Amino acid sequence: LQLNHSGRYSCGGWLESKVAPWALSAPVTVTVHRVPPSGVSLSAQPPGGQVALGDHLVLSCTVATGTGSLSFSWHREGSGASLGTGPCLELHHLGDNDSSQYRCRVSDGDSVAESDPLNVTVL
């Protein structure tokens, strides 16, 4: 279902009656509601968020529930700038200054849900 499927619906059918061969049901109203995003979680590859100096790390953001067009943004603790806007964030050639907590934020345009932080440690 999409939000634009909201409306009034009825059904009709042919009857074996000479008085009223076609019958139409009473209309019903169907309202499709948006489900705000929730249950945002992070995973890392390699698992655990520990990576060797100079290697790369892939963070993935998943949403348990949420409808509509979802947008993603990635954030590192202490920085207000977005690091990326997709469901995955690839970090290449990691250095000592990349060790931090990372979060994913998901928005449907009306509400925002955020993951718990994931600790990334560059060894």
Side-chain angles (χ1 to χ4, degrees):
L1 287 172
Q2 301 294 322
L3 291 174
N4 65 345
H5 290 134
S6 294
R8 293 179 59 79
Y9 290 86
S10 61
C11 66
W14 294 101
L15 301 175
E16 293 184 18
S17 167
K18 294 183 181 182
V19 177
W22 175 259
L24 190 62
S25 72
V28 295
T29 300
V30 174
T31 305
V32 180
H33 298 280
R34 182 178 302 221
V35 176
S38 65
V40 179
S41 60
L42 293 184
S43 61
Q45 191 58 259
Q50 292 189 344
V51 62
L53 185 69
D55 279 352
H56 73 279
L57 178 71
V58 178
L59 301 177
S60 298
C61 184
T62 57
V63 182
T65 61
T67 59
S69 179
L70 300 177
S71 62
F72 296 82
S73 64
W74 291 90
H75 304 273
R76 183 171 64 194
E77 184 177 330
S79 172
S82 174
L83 302 172
T85 57
C88 290
L89 176 68
E90 294 188 35
L91 302 170
H92 298 279
H93 309 294
L94 289 166
D96 290 329
N97 59 341
D98 293 313
S99 290
S100 187
Q101 289 187 333
Y102 291 77
R103 293 179 187 268
C104 175
R105 290 187 185 131
V106 180
S107 174
D108 65 359
D110 292 327
S111 59
V112 176
E114 187 172 83
S115 70
D116 288 336
L118 176 76
N119 289 317
V120 171
T121 305
V122 179
L123 305 170

